Structures are given as structure tokens and as C-alpha cells.
Amino acid sequence: MALRTVDLNADMGEGFGAYRIGDDAALLDIVTSANVACGFHGGDPEIMHETMRMAYTRKVTIGAHPGFPDLWGFGRRVIPFTCGEIERLVAYQIGAAQAIAAYAGCHVSYVKIHGALANLAEHDEGVASAIITATKAVDASLSVVAIAYSALERLAREQGLRVHTEIFADRAYAEDGHLLSRKEDGAVLHDPALIAERVVRMVEARAIETVKGNMLETQIDTICVHGDSAHALDIARTVRRSLEGAGIMLKSPHESTYYVV
Amino acid sequence: MALRTVDLNADMGEGFGAYRIGDDAALLDIVTSANVACGFHGGDPEIMHETMRMAYTRKVTIGAHPGFPDLWGFGRRVIPFTCGEIERLVAYQIGAAQAIAAYAGCHVSYVKIHGALANLAEHDEGVASAIITATKAVDASLSVVAIAYSALERLAREQGLRVHTEIFADRAYAEDGHLLSRKEDGAVLHDPALIAERVVRMVEARAIETVKGNMLETQIDTICVHGDSAHALDIARTVRRSLEGAGIMLKSPHESTYYVV
Amino acid sequence: MALRTVDLNADMGEGFGAYRIGDDAALLDIVTSANVACGFHGGDPEIMHETMRMAYTRKVTIGAHPGFPDLWGFGRRVIPFTCGEIERLVAYQIGAAQAIAAYAGCHVSYVKIHGALANLAEHDEGVASAIITATKAVDASLSVVAIAYSALERLAREQGLRVHTEIFADRAYAEDGHLLSRKEDGAVLHDPALIAERVVRMVEARAIETVKGNMLETQIDTICVHGDSAHALDIARTVRRSLEGAGIMLKSPHESTYYVV
Amino acid sequence: MALRTVDLNADMGEGFGAYRIGDDAALLDIVTSANVACGFHGGDPEIMHETMRMAYTRKVTIGAHPGFPDLWGFGRRVIPFTCGEIERLVAYQIGAAQAIAAYAGCHVSYVKIHGALANLAEHDEGVASAIITATKAVDASLSVVAIAYSALERLAREQGLRVHTEIFADRAYAEDGHLLSRKEDGAVLHDPALIAERVVRMVEARAIETVKGNMLETQIDTICVHGDSAHALDIARTVRRSLEGAGIMLKSPHESTYYVV
């Protein structure tokens, strides 16, 4: 019987200049994939390089993590851009990340979009297509991490990109498989044990567990965790330990190709 | 007998958002290589894309034009960075330019450094090496445009990069072959006819003409002209016409490889 | 009989670093009030200072022209901020402008909001109130330039600020007195003679002329013109000449208090 | 006999957007003066407002803390500006801080320059004069916090500004009264108890204690402490406790005027 594996991903390298957010070194001991900010919503060439080096030495797979050009808002606000402009924004950031990775002796394996832009791509086909177009134009061998049940997941698959479907460890799901809006009560889960148990249930069932307890079938390639507080790190560690305890192996989908080279 | 050819290059795409500097469209009808700003001292993904598209449709070769991250100072001020930091700054910008070029259906053929960073690389071996290291790490097939008699020219050649040696149409040269500092009288030439005649003499002699009239032997692959005013455009046009009149063909050193693909 | 007077205002100082937009020197020979950008959507301390000095020596009244912190988008995009955040953004910019004015030996007489933020304040009472709150907190003696028939005009008057009601020389008006959206055909007028004649009619009638030719009564204290192209300057000059030809005196409402000191 | 009093000041509000540096709330329970960043090297209107509100409710005096426009370098790098440009940079930031303070219901009592710009003003008379010119132009009633034995201290006094002379709790002093360069061994002190004892000795002796143990007479109005780490907070608390234990009262020089209003 094939061994069940899953990836753990987290955003990192989201500081700027003298600023830092989250404990990236600690997080890199937990996750198998690192979404590295590309200098627009956070990150700068120094931080990108440091983060990629740290990831590389820990054999953590590296992804580009583009966002809106909005340092002030940390990429969490919708900045009005046309889909064409989003294509250029995303392409630019992927290229910058690839170059820093090349300089650091490693490489970028995937693209995961950040914040408000990722939220748009969950429902807006135009934005999702823009991300796909940019990714394919820059490097069609990159895979895309896409939220389960999102427009981006569906369209990226249709348009021939390799897709890694993502669930969130600490976010509640509505009955349609979409993330419950953060404005709703209970949208964010806080208890490490409950979070970890739910993650294991979802990975084992290959399904999203909704707030009402329904299980919606989906591929699950990667689980998003956070590292921006001691509590977040605790959740991430508990999720990892529970998955391993259930016999599920933590492994990036890119791992084999990555380290053979 | 082999036909004498030379390249004309100019900085462009140096606006930002709603701002524009220079008449890039007019300039692209004169030059054979376009140094496209990469978003740090000027430029943004939209402008990079527009500029590259315009260059591509006119069969003008495209270079990345990285500078200090200093929009306020337009890259003309020395911002204190270590050589290591300069490596990452340059790598980031080359990668971003390559990605926008890929998205635009064309590609980056060379790197030419901007403003204060380029001036440093004329004399400072550490900075010159940083630029070389970054370029090689990102893409060792890129060539580097380097000022004649500069540290960058010498070291890039030693370290195996393809180098295109550059002279400036409108700048006076000291007796050691270096650019006369802008602070000195007569450092910048203004008369289109005199500028064009001097350029032709230098290209024909394969030598720099100093302020005292001495000719210092050098390779001359490319001539830098400007397009930031009507007068600058007039100079560029006169230089081009005079070179053609002297039987020197205007052609990018990258042209053949570029359009065969 | 009292002499009819009106003010001509224009945005200026909207460059950044090496960038410039419009011919401010030419514009300052036409207008009676200068809306000086404050460094967020455009402008920097150098440009603010130069622009204020030029205005001061020409006896042109100086206003602060705050906008969204969005250099890339030139303040023309709605950036998501709460009303409370808008209060702080506007207060900050007014204070900065006052300080540069004090340093330049002159002072700020009024506030006129820029771009997308001004458009919001035309209809959104929360945003209008935020602008009023900020202005009063920083300096209740400042007046506010507000678009005729806008939420800002009504609320600023109700809340005790001195208001100068503004019409646009080159914009068409809908039947409800609001600016016709730029997306609609005919929203922007281009013919200098027709524009100038319409302005004179409106000032003489103390009324807005709608696209259907209806006249909607309003106070008219100031007329907005532009200087970002040769054509715009031509319109501004024609408007000024026509007003003067009709015996209407061009004069800032702040002029007397300003130059007595 | 007059009670001996001294002020404790610390930099704060130096985050940006989602970024934070230091525990300002904890620091505000220790210090008597808060140097609030003005948005150029750190800080934004939201953070300025929050920080000033927190300071105000704790009866901590508020100062403007201008720096170079260099968020990336956190104001710690020398960015090439002329003295005239520094005047405008400083004026702009003071005005912005005054406006946010007015909006927050409090006011700015003094100016303390940040980072690399403050270091320049220690020795460079041109830069020191630029800071003085800017401060006087914006509000001549502001006092200036100046490093003991600095050009700024001497010139500000000569030019009629109220000056508060500052020593650093954790920095070693050379025999000429200047701060030992951070590049030298022992330039930064780390032991809270030793730091606090030295501070008490200096305040009691009204003298700087040099690395060789010499005491150089100086006025001491305020002591700079830090809050960017748990260790820094510990030092600040120990300094405060030791001063109080020695019968020295912690009090801002602006306190009386401040809260009478």
C-alpha cells in the first residue's frame, strides 16, 4: 500500500529591512515548504536570500509568494489593479524570487499567492487566470499551490499547470468548501489539539470538514500553518506531530526532483 | 573585409506609475539596445513590460538596467550597501527583468548597471565583482555592458563573462581613459555635430579620445546615448546618422542570436 | 455694485524626486490658488518647498493637497482605509504642508483633497467627515475646497469650517449636479473656447450647467483647471482671459488676509 | 536645596504598517519622554497616533523623531542629502508629527533626531545648523534634544533654541566626550547593574564618564534608553530604579507646561 504523504507550508521572509515578522528559523524546522515573500507586500533581497538559504540547508522546498505591492498594508488589502497588471506584478515577483534562489544555490519550485490577492483568486476567475498566465509565461514547470475549491485550483489544472491543493489548518470551512470569512464567528480555530485532530481527519478522508461536520471530497497536497506567534508555532508543531503519529509522512511534493539535482 | 559594426544603447523605462522620463518611443527608433530599468531606481512592472514590448517590435535588443533601490534619488546617489547586499540587489533586478521579458515574449540579453552604482563599479573592484557574481549566478549567458577602462570591464572579462565595452557619446574622457567627473568643466558635451564627429573618430580608431586629444586604444562595442530631452534625442539621431554616413553599421552584438530564435 | 470675483485653482507639485508632472511655473502665472501635493500620492519635501516658493513670489494662495499614500497609482485608486485611518492620513499631510510652508516663509490657507479620496468625499459622508475632522483638529482656521453638491461641501459647512465651493472647468455635470463619471461619453470637455464660455455662464449665473443645459444654483468660489499638458495650459489661459473679459476678477478668497500679514 | 531631576527618553513608534519594533507600551511605563518616529525611517500616521495617545495617557512628554527617508535602512545609513534638503526633510517630519499630535489631543514638545542623521549632527556643523534652521522655522518654541559635546548642542544653544543635553545609558564615551564608535570594542554596555550605576554617577557628577574613568563636565537633562528587546527593557527599568533609589526624580523638562494646559 502506498504511503500517505502530505506537505506542510508556511509563509515566511515577510519582514522588510530591520523589521521581522514571525520566527522563520523555528518554522523551518516544522514545515516542508516555505512560501518566501518577494519584496512587494514584504521581503527584500536580503531577507529573501537569508530565508531561502535557511530553507535550503534544512531541505525545505522553496516557493515564491507574490502579493500586492503594498508594504503598508502587508498585502492584506485589495489594491485596484487590472488583471493585466496583476499578470505583470506576479511575473516580476516570480522572476525576482527565481534569481535570488539561483544566487542562493537553490531554486523556486512553486508559486503561492499571498493575502488579498490570493483571496481574490479563490473566487475571481479573471484574477486566477492572470496568476496562471504569469506563472506559465515565466516558467511553466512551476507548480501552483491553490486553495481547495478555488477558481485558481480549477483553472490552473485546466490550463495544464501542476497544482498542489491546499487546506488551512486553522480555518473553518463553509458548506460549499470555501473558507469561512474571517468576519464570521469561529472562522479561525485556536486550540492546537482540536486543530491537529481535524487536520488528520481531513487528510485521512481526503476531504474538507465543514463547520457542520460534512466532509467534502478534495485532493489535499499541502496544509498551511503559521509562525507569526508562539501560539502559531505551537499549532504548527502539534499538527506535524499528529500527522506523523497517524502514520502520515510529511514531505514536499517537490522533494524528490529537488534533491536529486 | 569585415564590416565595422557598433551598438547604440540608451537607458529607458525609467518612469514610475504615472511618471515618465524621456521619450522612449522616439529613442527606440534610434538605438539598437535598450537598457530597461528594473523597478528600483525607476521602472515598475507595467513600464518594464511596455518598454520591452516596444523594443521587441522594433528589433531592439533588451538589457536589464539595475540600480540602487532609491526612487527618490533616481539611483544617482550612493546608498550605503555592502558588496554582498549589492549582489542580492542586482540579482533580484535581473531576475525580475527576465521574468517580465519572458512574459512579454522576448528576453534579456545583457546587464548594464545604472547611475551611482555604475560609477562605483568603474573604480571599485568589490562592487564590480559583486555585479559579476550576481550576473553569473542568475544567468552566466548574459553579457555585461561595461565602461571602457573600468574595473567592471577588466574583472568581468577575467571572470569569463561576455563583455561589451562602452563609450559615452556626450562625455569627455581624462587622460587615463576614465570619464571626466561631471564636476569638471567640459565634462559633458553639448554640440550634436561635434559629438557625432568625435564618436565616429573613436569608433574608427578603436580608441578613446581624451580631452587633450590623445587616443587610448580600447575595444568599442557600444555607445551610450540619452533620450531625456529633445536635445538629447537630437544628439542621438546625429550620432546614428554620422556613424551610418561613415559606413559603420548600427547593430546590437546580440542581434543574430536574438532573432534567429 | 459689488465686483464679482472668482478663484482659479490647480493641482501642482505632484512630481517626486527626479520626476515632474505638468508645467507648474506656467500654471502659477494663470491661477490664483495652488493645491500643493503633500508627499503621499506625489510631492516630496523639495518639490513642496519649490512649489510653495514659486506660488508665494507670484502671490498665489497655497493649499494643502492630501491624497492616498499611493505614489504608484498617483492617488487615483481607492486604497482601502477606514475613516479613522483617513483622518490620520489627512492630518499628517496637512501638518507636513504647514511646516514646509512655514519654512518657506508663507502659509497654507486651505485644504483640497486629491484624486480618488476626493471622489469618495463627493458621495461618502464618512469619508467627508473624516476629512473635516482631520482639518479641524490640525487647524480649524483652514478652509476646505469642496466640489459643488458634494457630501464634503454640505458637511464641512454644517460643521463650521469655511468652505470654498468648486466647479471644474473641463468636466460635464449630470442633472443632479454631480460630476459625470469619467467613464461616460462627454465627461471631459476639450475645446478651450467652449470650456471658457461655459465657465463664464456658470459663474455669472451662480449655477452649474448640466449636460442637458439645466442650470442648478450653487455657490461658486473657485474653478479647477489643469496644467499637465500644453493643451491643459491653453484651456486654463483661455478660461482666465474669458473671465476677465466678462469683468469677473480672478482673486483667491484668501488673498486679503494673506498678504496683509 | 533644589531636588535633582532628570528625564528618561526612548525612541518609539518605529514600526510600519504591520511591523512593530520594541515594546512601546512597556517602555512608556518607564520613560518620561517619547521620541516618536515621523514616517520616514519608521512610523506611519496610525502608529504615530497610537504611540502619542499611549504616551499622553501616561503623561509621557512627546517629541518628534525625524530621520532619513530610508525605511529599508531604518534611518541608520547616511543617505546623501545636502544641508538644504535636510532642512526640508526635518521640517516636513516635525510638521507631520505636530499635526498628528494635535489630532490626538496632545502636542509635540521637542525634536530629537534619529540614527545616522543624529550621528552626522554630532560632528557636522552644517547638518546641525540644518536641523536647527528647520526646527526654528516650523516652531521656535520646540526644544532640541542634543547629544552632550555635539555640534548640535553647541549651535542650538548659540542660536537660541532651548536645548536638552542627552547622555546614553548604554554607550561608552571617548576621552573627548564623544560616543565611542560602535565599531570599537566595548562601545555598547550590556550589564544592567553596571549601566545603572554609571548613569547615577554621571547624573550626580553632572559629568560624562569616559572609558578611562575621567569625568567630563556637562549638563545632563535627559538619558536615552532603549526598548527593542527584553534585555533593553530590563536595562531601562534598572536605570530608572537606580536613579529613584539615589533620590533623583524622573521628570520631563517639559512636564509642567505640558499638563497645565
Side-chain angles (χ1 to χ4, degrees):
Chain A
M1 194 194 101
L3 190 65
R4 188 80 178 97
T5 69
V6 79
D7 177 58
L8 271 191
N9 80 74
D11 301 348
M12 57 187 78
E14 295 188 307
F16 181 79
Y19 301 121
R20 289 297 178 277
I21 279 193
D23 184 347
D24 289 350
L27 202 50
L28 282 165
D29 288 333
I30 303 168
V31 299
T32 45
S33 290
N35 320 318
V36 181
C38 302
F40 273 38
H41 74 277
D44 63 41
E46 286 305 292
I47 293 174
M48 290 167 76
H49 176 243
E50 284 166 28
T51 309
M52 288 181 182
R53 284 300 306 168
M54 287 199 296
Y56 182 66
T57 59
R58 284 164 175 85
K59 305 202 176 186
V60 170
T61 299
I62 293 164
H65 190 46
F68 279 123
D70 180 23
L71 190 68
W72 194 330
F74 199 62
R76 290 175 179 153
R77 307 183 298 193
V78 174
I79 308 293
F81 280 104
T82 64
C83 288
E85 289 166 341
I86 289 170
E87 289 177 13
R88 272 80 77 177
L89 286 176
V90 170
Y92 182 102
Q93 294 178 72
I94 295 172
Q98 286 183 316
I100 294 291
Y103 170 85
C106 52
H107 74 265
V108 170
S109 298
Y110 65 92
V111 173
K112 177 179 163 178
I113 301 296
H114 173 80
L117 187 53
N119 294 343
L120 287 182
E122 199 184 347
H123 298 285
D124 184 320
E125 298 199 344
V127 172
S129 290
I131 293 162
I132 294 161
T133 300
T135 304
K136 290 176 78 168
V138 177
D139 185 349
S141 77
L142 292 167
S143 53
V144 166
V145 170
I147 299 174
Y149 284 76
S150 66
L152 180 60
E153 189 206 20
R154 183 167 41 78
L155 293 177
R157 220 178 286 283
E158 282 174 24
Q159 293 174 34
L161 277 178
R162 198 153 48 120
V163 176
H164 296 301
T165 302
E166 176 185 43
I167 60 166
F168 287 78
D170 65 352
R171 294 289 300 277
Y173 284 93
E175 299 312 306
D176 60 2
H178 291 303
L179 292 166
L180 206 64
S181 162
R182 280 178 185 275
K183 289 168 196 155
E184 311 237 6
D185 281 347
V188 180
L189 312 180
H190 298 286
D191 184 270
L194 296 180
I195 287 170
E197 287 164 22
R198 192 186 71 142
V199 164
V200 172
R201 279 197 304 274
M202 292 198 283
V203 172
E204 289 184 332
R206 295 166 203 248
I208 278 173
E209 184 176 314
T210 70
V211 283
K212 293 192 177 160
N214 291 316
M215 299 302 280
L216 308 176
E217 214 176 301
T218 179
Q219 187 170 328
I220 298 179
D221 301 300
T222 185
I223 301 159
C224 184
V225 293
H226 303 291
D228 51 347
S229 68
H231 183 64
L233 280 171
D234 187 30
I235 292 172
R237 276 192 205 96
T238 310
V239 166
R240 178 172 183 122
R241 225 175 292 124
S242 299
L243 286 164
E244 289 175 335
I248 298 158
M249 194 177 144
L250 277 298
K251 187 167 168 295
S252 156
H254 306 88
E255 195 175 327
S256 56
T257 53
Y258 189 55
Y259 282 92
V260 165
V261 186
Chain B
M1 196 195 99
L3 191 66
R4 188 83 178 94
T5 68
V6 78
D7 177 57
L8 272 190
N9 81 74
D11 302 349
M12 57 188 77
E14 294 188 307
F16 181 78
Y19 300 122
R20 288 297 178 277
I21 278 193
D23 183 347
D24 289 351
L27 203 48
L28 282 165
D29 288 333
I30 304 168
V31 300
T32 45
S33 289
N35 319 317
V36 181
C38 302
F40 273 40
H41 74 275
D44 64 40
E46 286 305 292
I47 293 174
M48 292 167 75
H49 176 244
E50 282 164 30
T51 309
M52 289 182 181
R53 285 300 305 169
M54 284 198 299
Y56 182 66
T57 58
R58 285 163 174 84
K59 305 204 176 185
V60 171
T61 299
I62 292 163
H65 189 47
F68 279 124
D70 180 23
L71 189 68
W72 193 330
F74 199 61
R76 290 177 179 153
R77 307 182 298 192
V78 175
I79 308 293
F81 281 103
T82 66
C83 289
E85 289 166 341
I86 289 170
E87 290 177 13
R88 271 80 76 178
L89 286 177
V90 170
Y92 182 101
Q93 293 177 72
I94 295 172
Q98 286 183 316
I100 295 291
Y103 170 84
C106 51
H107 75 266
V108 170
S109 298
Y110 66 92
V111 172
K112 176 178 163 179
I113 300 296
H114 173 80
L117 187 54
N119 294 343
L120 288 181
E122 198 184 348
H123 298 284
D124 185 320
E125 298 199 347
V127 171
S129 291
I131 292 162
I132 294 161
T133 301
T135 304
K136 289 176 78 168
V138 177
D139 185 348
S141 76
L142 291 167
S143 52
V144 166
V145 170
I147 299 173
Y149 284 75
S150 66
L152 181 59
E153 189 205 21
R154 183 168 39 80
L155 294 176
R157 220 178 287 282
E158 282 174 25
Q159 292 175 36
L161 275 178
R162 197 153 48 123
V163 176
H164 296 301
T165 302
E166 176 186 43
I167 60 166
F168 287 78
D170 66 352
R171 293 288 300 277
Y173 285 94
E175 300 312 305
D176 60 1
H178 291 305
L179 291 168
L180 204 67
S181 162
R182 282 178 184 274
K183 289 167 196 156
E184 312 238 5
D185 282 347
V188 180
L189 312 180
H190 298 287
D191 184 270
L194 296 180
I195 288 170
E197 287 163 24
R198 192 186 70 142
V199 165
V200 171
R201 279 196 303 274
M202 292 197 283
V203 173
E204 288 184 333
R206 296 167 204 247
I208 278 174
E209 184 176 313
T210 70
V211 283
K212 294 190 178 161
N214 291 315
M215 299 302 280
L216 308 176
E217 214 176 301
T218 180
Q219 186 171 328
I220 299 178
D221 301 301
T222 185
I223 301 160
C224 183
V225 292
H226 303 291
D228 50 349
S229 67
H231 183 65
L233 281 171
D234 186 30
I235 291 172
R237 275 191 206 99
T238 309
V239 166
R240 178 170 184 127
R241 227 176 291 127
S242 300
L243 287 164
E244 290 174 336
I248 298 159
M249 193 177 146
L250 277 298
K251 184 165 170 295
S252 157
H254 305 89
E255 195 176 326
S256 57
T257 53
Y258 189 54
Y259 282 92
V260 166
V261 185
Chain C
M1 196 192 102
L3 191 65
R4 188 82 178 96
T5 69
V6 79
D7 178 57
L8 272 191
N9 81 74
D11 301 349
M12 59 187 76
E14 295 188 308
F16 181 78
Y19 301 122
R20 290 296 178 278
I21 279 194
D23 183 347
D24 289 350
L27 203 49
L28 281 165
D29 288 332
I30 303 167
V31 300
T32 45
S33 290
N35 320 317
V36 181
C38 301
F40 273 39
H41 74 276
D44 64 39
E46 286 306 291
I47 293 174
M48 291 167 76
H49 176 243
E50 282 164 30
T51 309
M52 288 182 182
R53 284 301 304 169
M54 286 198 296
Y56 181 67
T57 58
R58 285 164 173 85
K59 305 203 175 187
V60 170
T61 299
I62 293 163
H65 190 48
F68 278 123
D70 179 23
L71 190 68
W72 194 331
F74 200 61
R76 290 177 180 152
R77 307 183 298 193
V78 175
I79 308 293
F81 281 105
T82 66
C83 289
E85 289 167 341
I86 290 171
E87 290 177 12
R88 271 82 77 179
L89 286 177
V90 170
Y92 182 102
Q93 293 179 72
I94 295 173
Q98 286 184 315
I100 294 293
Y103 170 85
C106 51
H107 74 266
V108 170
S109 297
Y110 66 91
V111 173
K112 177 178 162 177
I113 300 297
H114 174 79
L117 187 53
N119 294 344
L120 287 182
E122 198 184 348
H123 297 284
D124 184 319
E125 299 199 346
V127 171
S129 290
I131 292 162
I132 294 162
T133 299
T135 304
K136 290 176 78 167
V138 177
D139 185 348
S141 77
L142 291 167
S143 51
V144 167
V145 170
I147 298 173
Y149 283 75
S150 67
L152 181 59
E153 188 205 21
R154 183 167 40 78
L155 294 176
R157 221 179 283 286
E158 281 173 26
Q159 291 174 35
L161 276 178
R162 200 152 47 121
V163 176
H164 296 301
T165 302
E166 176 186 43
I167 59 166
F168 287 78
D170 66 352
R171 293 288 301 277
Y173 285 94
E175 301 312 305
D176 60 1
H178 291 305
L179 292 167
L180 205 65
S181 162
R182 280 177 185 276
K183 289 167 197 157
E184 311 237 7
D185 282 346
V188 181
L189 312 181
H190 297 287
D191 184 270
L194 296 180
I195 287 170
E197 286 163 24
R198 192 187 71 143
V199 164
V200 171
R201 280 198 303 275
M202 292 198 283
V203 173
E204 288 184 332
R206 296 164 203 250
I208 279 173
E209 185 176 313
T210 70
V211 283
K212 294 192 177 159
N214 292 315
M215 299 301 281
L216 307 176
E217 214 177 302
T218 180
Q219 187 171 327
I220 298 177
D221 301 302
T222 185
I223 301 160
C224 184
V225 292
H226 304 291
D228 50 349
S229 68
H231 184 64
L233 280 171
D234 186 30
I235 292 173
R237 275 192 207 100
T238 309
V239 165
R240 179 171 183 125
R241 227 176 290 126
S242 299
L243 287 165
E244 288 174 336
I248 298 159
M249 193 177 144
L250 276 298
K251 186 166 170 294
S252 156
H254 305 89
E255 194 177 327
S256 57
T257 53
Y258 189 56
Y259 281 92
V260 166
V261 185
Chain D
M1 197 193 102
L3 190 64
R4 188 81 177 97
T5 69
V6 78
D7 177 58
L8 272 191
N9 81 74
D11 301 349
M12 58 188 75
E14 294 188 308
F16 182 78
Y19 300 121
R20 290 295 179 277
I21 278 194
D23 184 345
D24 289 350
L27 202 50
L28 282 165
D29 288 333
I30 302 168
V31 300
T32 45
S33 290
N35 319 318
V36 181
C38 302
F40 273 38
H41 73 277
D44 64 39
E46 285 306 290
I47 292 174
M48 290 168 75
H49 176 243
E50 282 165 30
T51 309
M52 288 182 182
R53 284 301 305 170
M54 286 198 298
Y56 182 67
T57 58
R58 284 163 174 85
K59 305 202 177 188
V60 170
T61 299
I62 293 163
H65 190 47
F68 278 123
D70 180 23
L71 190 68
W72 194 332
F74 199 60
R76 288 175 180 153
R77 308 183 296 192
V78 175
I79 308 293
F81 281 104
T82 65
C83 289
E85 289 167 341
I86 289 171
E87 290 177 12
R88 270 80 76 178
L89 285 177
V90 170
Y92 181 102
Q93 293 179 72
I94 295 173
Q98 286 184 316
I100 295 292
Y103 170 84
C106 51
H107 75 265
V108 170
S109 297
Y110 66 91
V111 172
K112 177 179 163 178
I113 300 295
H114 173 80
L117 186 55
N119 294 344
L120 287 183
E122 199 185 346
H123 298 284
D124 184 320
E125 299 199 346
V127 171
S129 290
I131 292 162
I132 294 161
T133 300
T135 304
K136 288 176 77 168
V138 177
D139 185 348
S141 77
L142 292 166
S143 51
V144 166
V145 170
I147 298 174
Y149 283 74
S150 67
L152 180 60
E153 189 205 20
R154 183 168 40 78
L155 293 177
R157 221 180 286 285
E158 282 173 26
Q159 291 175 35
L161 276 178
R162 199 152 46 124
V163 176
H164 296 301
T165 303
E166 176 186 43
I167 60 167
F168 287 78
D170 66 353
R171 292 289 299 278
Y173 285 93
E175 300 311 305
D176 60 2
H178 291 305
L179 292 167
L180 207 65
S181 162
R182 281 178 185 274
K183 290 167 196 158
E184 312 238 5
D185 281 347
V188 180
L189 313 180
H190 297 286
D191 184 270
L194 295 180
I195 287 170
E197 286 163 24
R198 192 186 72 142
V199 164
V200 170
R201 280 197 303 275
M202 293 199 282
V203 172
E204 288 184 332
R206 295 165 203 250
I208 279 173
E209 186 177 312
T210 70
V211 282
K212 295 193 176 159
N214 291 314
M215 299 302 279
L216 306 176
E217 214 175 303
T218 181
Q219 188 171 326
I220 299 178
D221 300 301
T222 185
I223 300 159
C224 184
V225 293
H226 304 291
D228 50 349
S229 68
H231 183 65
L233 280 171
D234 187 30
I235 291 172
R237 276 191 205 98
T238 309
V239 166
R240 176 168 186 126
R241 226 176 290 125
S242 300
L243 287 164
E244 289 174 335
I248 298 160
M249 194 177 144
L250 276 299
K251 187 168 169 294
S252 157
H254 305 89
E255 192 175 329
S256 55
T257 52
Y258 189 55
Y259 281 92
V260 166
V261 184

